[in-house]
Amino acid sequence: MIKSSESPVTTPVDVEEIPIQDFQVIEFYVGNAKQAAYFYNKLFGFDILAYRGPETGFRETCSYVLRQNQIQFVLTSALSPDHPIEKQVQRHGDGVKDIGFLVQDAVKCYETAIQRGATSIQPPRTLEDEGGKIQKATVATYGETTHTFVQREGYHGVFEPGYIAHHLPGNSIGLQRVDHIVGNVEKGCMDDWVRFYETIFGFYVLRHYDEKDISTQYSALVSKVMANRSGTIKMPLNEPAQGLKKSQIQEYLDFYKSAGVQHIAISTQDIIATVKALRKNGVELMSVPKTYYTDIAERIGSIAEPLAELSELGILIDRDEGGYLLQIFTQPLQDRPTFFFEIIQRQGAEGFGKGNFKALFEAIERDQARRGNLS
Ligand code: FE2
């Protein structure tokens, strides 16, 4: 039975963990990488630092590398309608294709994963140029999403072999690192994917949330947070649960056409400055009703940031046993109601904003209703 818990949960699965240092790079497949690169550059302040395409010997695709502090994204588009990347974009719309993990030994990580039952997408390969050598190997996860083990061995080129520098700095808004990446999976499949991360990666269930934690008058979902022991990798998995109306997770699945990445949470050390910059740049953010802030001081206790300013900017606040956290969510970043960002500032809290789930999901449902998908 799934029990609600905000405390760490250890599972009985005794599998040696695949040693992952951190998230390395996240690749998106998009319809128009050139324009998407400017979107993330102008609105979110990412540097566009590298490019790969026909000019560098890649005849079929274009990729742009974005970076802000420790966060790296690659945006890739295909140049012809028959290319497999174009087919995936037609099906899913723009979205996350690959979550790359930084490792010391990509071949060993890959072989371990395959031995434990992972599906191979691309066997180990070595990329090399004057900047050095990079080893990569890729396995499948939920939907058409993949995980690549990336071994950089002190590579000192611009990004990876095949890329050239593309100098377009962004106006940084203080985004620091990937805090967690959330996947939405089909109803009834969450525990299969929990077992996948337990038995293949050696991850454990850090938290779990049931319908009582995450339900509104209309819809519900359940969630388990998979993590590695060092805490660098946190990947919650959601599945829709029975409610009076369609779960927001089901809306995602209906439009993405499969399981996939729902949101990437990005940390900042100064969420007030970050959100002011986002608003100034025109980023659409999820709004919460002013009533959310009515009894906030009693609920949250004392915090360093001025409540009036948090309320003005629509920033959510939650407290758990370790401290508090501040968070806000963007609207979906493409026309389909699929992928979005969370911006999070942790002040000791290690949870995921359980106290905000209801307010947040009611906000999502208001938008879902406006799209005609809450029925
Ligand atoms: Fe999140």
Side-chain angles (χ1 to χ4, degrees):
M1 187 182 130
I2 299 172
K3 278 184 64 193
S4 157
S5 172
E6 266 278 304
S7 0
V9 179
T10 42
T11 62
V13 177
D14 184 21
V15 175
E16 196 180 337
E17 188 177 294
I18 290 183
I20 292 167
Q21 295 170 3
D22 209 342
F23 293 113
Q24 206 271 325
V25 58
I26 293 143
E27 181 166 20
F28 295 71
Y29 283 176
V30 298
N32 187 337
K34 184 172 203 163
Q35 291 194 1
Y38 284 104
F39 176 87
Y40 290 106
N41 170 262
K42 299 297 177 204
L43 270 59
F44 292 91
F46 283 90
D47 299 334
I48 307 179
L49 65 92
Y51 168 79
R52 186 180 82 176
E55 300 85 346
T56 72
F58 284 76
R59 308 290 309 159
E60 298 183 345
T61 59
C62 284
S63 296
Y64 294 79
V65 180
L66 308 180
R67 185 183 292 163
Q68 190 165 163
N69 295 306
Q70 293 173 63
I71 309 154
Q72 290 196 119
F73 296 149
V74 174
L75 306 173
T76 298
S77 287
L79 297 175
S80 83
D82 300 324
H83 194 281
I85 291 177
E86 180 61 23
K87 301 264 183 230
Q88 291 197 29
V89 172
Q90 279 172 22
R91 178 155 185 245
H92 302 294
D94 290 6
V96 171
K97 170 61 185 176
D98 184 76
I99 299 168
F101 295 133
L102 184 64
V103 300
Q104 274 187 336
D105 188 338
V107 173
K108 195 167 170 209
C109 292
Y110 170 85
E111 284 175 352
T112 304
I114 297 300
Q115 273 162 19
R116 293 174 179 173
T119 302
S120 175
I121 296 294
Q122 267 200 285
R125 61 242 186 231
T126 303
L127 313 172
E128 206 165 356
D129 67 5
E130 60 280 2
K133 204 162 75 168
I134 289 181
Q135 299 246 50
K136 296 167 89 170
T138 306
V139 298
T141 180
Y142 47 75
E144 289 196 88
T145 318
T146 57
H147 286 309
T148 298
F149 300 110
V150 185
Q151 175 186 344
R152 292 186 62 84
E153 292 181 359
Y155 182 78
H156 55 85
V158 63
F159 172 65
E160 279 182 11
Y163 282 84
I164 54 168
H166 182 107
H167 301 287
L168 188 65
N171 201 357
S172 173
I173 61 166
L175 303 179
Q176 295 294 330
R177 69 178 298 274
V178 172
D179 184 274
H180 59 273
I181 300 181
V182 181
N184 284 343
V185 301
E186 297 86 352
K187 190 169 167 45
C189 295
M190 183 184 67
D191 283 327
D192 293 340
W193 289 108
V194 166
R195 270 189 293 282
F196 170 85
Y197 283 107
E198 283 176 343
T199 57
I200 290 174
F201 285 83
F203 292 174
Y204 72 105
V205 179
L206 172 66
R207 311 272 161 135
H208 51 194
Y209 304 100
D210 66 13
E211 293 96 324
K212 290 192 291 302
D213 297 317
I214 323 182
S215 69
T216 65
Q217 186 187 352
Y218 296 126
S219 76
L221 62 94
V222 293
S223 186
K224 287 188 178 179
V225 181
M226 306 311 297
N228 66 352
R229 260 84 186 166
S230 69
T232 54
I233 304 296
K234 297 191 201 90
M235 294 199 296
L237 297 165
N238 297 329
E239 72 174 1
Q242 198 58 49
L244 284 175
K245 296 190 177 182
K246 183 189 281 189
S247 168
Q248 48 157 303
I249 306 304
Q250 192 57 49
E251 187 199 30
Y252 172 101
L253 296 168
D254 289 349
F255 281 85
Y256 197 67
K257 304 295 179 193
S258 76
V261 171
Q262 180 207 38
H263 74 267
I264 297 178
I266 297 174
S267 66
T268 169
Q269 287 161 358
D270 183 352
I271 198 168
I272 289 177
T274 298
V275 173
K276 277 183 181 167
L278 289 173
R279 290 202 179 279
K280 183 165 158 272
N281 294 349
V283 174
E284 294 176 313
L285 297 160
M286 208 86 78
S287 63
V288 286
K290 286 289 168 201
T291 50
Y292 170 86
Y293 296 95
T294 312
D295 59 349
I296 196 80
E298 294 88 84
R299 275 204 291 128
I300 300 298
S302 120
I303 61 169
E305 294 74 12
L307 282 173
E309 201 159 17
L310 297 175
S311 161
E312 181 65 34
L313 292 166
I315 295 167
L316 307 174
I317 314 147
D318 194 28
R319 185 178 280 282
D320 66 18
E321 64 280 2
Y324 66 95
L325 62 79
L326 307 168
Q327 61 186 169
I328 196 164
F329 298 82
T330 71
Q331 292 286 346
L333 296 169
Q334 55 295 306
D335 288 317
R336 295 194 204 190
T338 52
F339 175 77
F340 56 90
F341 281 151
E342 170 183 350
I343 311 295
I344 184 166
Q345 179 183 341
R346 293 187 182 277
Q347 297 298 131
E350 291 179 358
F352 295 84
K354 179 182 165 185
N356 292 325
F357 287 168
K358 195 171 163 63
L360 169 68
F361 296 134
E362 283 173 353
I364 293 176
E365 278 169 19
R366 281 193 298 277
D367 294 334
Q368 198 179 337
R370 278 210 299 271
R371 294 188 284 261
N373 295 330
L374 186 70
S375 55

